[in-house]
Amino acid sequence: MKSLVSKSISILAIESSCDETAASVCRNGQILSNIIANQTVHEAYGGVVPELASRAHLQNIVPVVDNAIKKAGISLSEIDAVAFTSAPGLIGSLLVGAQFAKSLALSLNKPLIAVHHMQAHVLANLLNDPPPSYPFLCLTVSGGHTQIVLCHSPDQLTVIGQTRDDAAGEAFDKSAKLLGLPYPGGPLIDKFAKEGDPLRFKFPEPQIAGLDFSFSGLKTSILYFLQDNEKKDGEFINKNLADICASIQHRIVSILLNKLEKAALQTGIRQLCIAGGVSANSGLREGLITLGEKRHWETFIPKFEYCTDNAAMIAITAYHKYLAGESVALNVPVSARAEW
Ligand code: KG4
Ligand code: ZN
């Protein structure tokens, strides 16, 4: 008798584009495991050191993948495809994940699926319950990118706005650095902002035409603001840290959400998502909900673990590629570049 249950599809995904070594297993679009090893080795340097990141990936990758398989409660032989992040990222870091995934796919004789990291951030929203329906808009905000993406289907994503200089994550991290906070400073600004007054200090909103962003002017104005006030009172930052963080966060979030609102008005799309590391920011999450309530638009916010770099987003993207019959040859290259 023909089975009424269609075959279940299990994907093992690996993410190693920057300083997180991550692996995840998804079955039929449901995440069974999502393991991340963070690299603390960079803390002393105020930013990610590419060579140290590659070496840490080499140490982490076997235990992280092993853990993901065990936590999912499956055996390697049950894997239907192996996926990995092929771009963009640090080339040495990408190579570690890619070589591991290729070797595993070869030894298991299973298809290999290459995933673009920025597309995966967007499609992390498919893990929301309920997920957005198509078409939706996604504001993708990470350490290296700031984009508004129009998504018609898992393989039809168009960037309709992006930053001309710094990314939103850089705006957070560089501001934090000016305040003497360690890298990455975004989560710390978020933490201190919770105790502060967001309207105490006014920072300028850049006037950029269309749906593009710019954060370099804001960074310069924060620098001069801090220098001027520290000249008058050497304890200015210490005394006002919470209000400064709240005011910086308020401005970054308003720049982001004003453009997203503009994109929704221009396209007529009423389903709004956020993605990427900065979408973990509490001000942005609350601001999106408020925007949705004000306009009666639907909003989608990924769980925290699917905002910052993770392999679950690679797994869900690969699952849709698998369904579409997309796989790559074992000699597919990795690329540091962001083009889709
Ligand atoms: O997506 P992601 O994990 O890595 C990249 O692909 O870049 O994003 C990292 C960025 C960093 O700039 C970090 O400071 C920022 O996300 N970030 C935050 C928060 N959590 C992470 N920024 C503001 N508030 C947060 N809570
Ligand atoms: Zn990322």
Side-chain angles (χ1 to χ4, degrees):
M1 196 179 87
K2 198 177 166 213
S3 168
L4 292 177
V5 183
S6 57
K7 182 185 176 330
S8 85
I9 308 296
S10 299
I11 311 260
L12 168 68
I14 294 164
E15 152 65 34
S16 69
S17 63
C18 190
D19 61 339
E20 273 96 15
T21 321
S24 170
V25 174
C26 93
R27 176 176 290 161
N28 296 339
Q30 301 292 318
I31 300 302
L32 301 185
S33 64
N34 182 33
I35 307 295
I36 301 181
N38 295 106
Q39 302 179 358
T40 48
V41 63
H42 309 286
E43 274 164 15
Y45 301 93
V48 177
V49 183
E51 182 55 29
L52 295 181
S54 317
R55 292 182 200 189
H57 283 306
L58 281 173
Q59 285 180 337
N60 292 341
I61 194 139
V62 172
V64 164
V65 171
D66 197 36
N67 215 342
I69 298 280
K70 285 198 179 115
K71 185 106 190 281
I74 64 165
S75 66
L76 268 182
S77 60
E78 289 174 80
I79 298 289
D80 294 291
V82 182
F84 69 102
T85 305
S86 60
L90 302 171
I91 205 78
S93 293
L94 288 167
L95 275 172
V96 176
Q99 288 311 119
F100 190 91
K102 289 176 181 184
S103 314
L104 195 58
L106 180 67
S107 65
L108 296 174
N109 195 24
K110 296 291 178 190
L112 179 70
I113 300 178
V115 173
H116 191 286
H117 182 88
M118 298 311 295
Q119 293 188 354
H121 269 305
V122 175
L123 297 183
N125 278 285
L126 300 182
L127 297 170
N128 287 326
D129 186 18
S133 48
Y134 301 101
F136 63 81
L137 289 177
C138 183
L139 171 71
T140 314
V141 272
S142 71
H145 300 87
T146 300
Q147 301 177 330
I148 298 178
V149 179
L150 170 54
C151 185
H152 278 288
S153 69
D155 61 351
Q156 257 191 297
L157 291 89
T158 314
V159 178
I160 57 172
Q162 59 193 319
T163 185
R164 295 186 181 175
D165 39 58
D166 287 350
E170 280 175 294
F172 271 107
D173 295 340
K174 289 179 179 175
S175 303
K177 195 171 180 189
L178 295 174
L179 294 169
L181 301 173
Y183 177 88
L188 291 170
I189 294 205
D190 192 358
K191 183 178 147 205
F192 292 119
K194 291 196 171 97
E195 311 294 326
D197 174 1
L199 302 178
R200 166 100 185 273
F201 303 113
K202 300 261 179 297
F203 296 109
E205 176 155 3
Q207 301 304 313
I208 307 293
L211 298 176
D212 282 350
F213 302 88
S214 167
F215 287 100
S216 63
L218 176 64
K219 180 184 64 190
T220 310
S221 78
I222 293 170
L223 171 69
Y224 289 146
F225 166 82
L226 294 176
Q227 281 178 348
D228 289 350
N229 282 289
E230 279 280 307
K231 250 184 237 156
K232 291 179 212 148
D233 174 359
E235 285 298 303
F236 177 76
I237 292 178
N238 282 344
K239 286 182 197 159
N240 298 287
L241 187 61
D243 287 346
I244 301 171
C245 287
S247 302
I248 292 173
Q249 178 169 303
H250 174 74
R251 178 50 75 215
I252 296 174
V253 167
S254 77
I255 294 171
L256 294 171
L257 290 180
N258 285 346
K259 287 287 171 156
L260 184 61
E261 185 174 21
K262 190 171 180 184
L265 292 171
Q266 275 184 16
T267 57
I269 292 172
R270 299 294 177 246
Q271 298 205 86
L272 307 184
C273 302
I274 51 175
V278 179
S279 65
N281 182 266
S282 57
L284 181 60
R285 295 167 88 90
E286 283 160 25
L288 181 68
I289 292 169
T290 308
L291 172 64
E293 286 169 354
K294 180 183 91 177
R295 293 278 192 182
H296 303 290
W297 294 343
E298 272 189 274
T299 55
F300 299 84
I301 300 179
K303 285 188 192 169
F304 282 109
E305 63 262 41
Y306 303 147
C307 290
T308 42
D309 287 349
N310 66 87
M313 67 184 194
I314 307 301
I316 187 69
T317 306
Y319 173 64
H320 286 279
K321 285 181 180 282
Y322 185 95
L323 294 181
E326 253 186 73
S327 64
V328 292
L330 287 170
N331 63 355
V332 69
V334 294
S335 167
R337 298 169 66 87
E339 283 85 23
W340 295 15

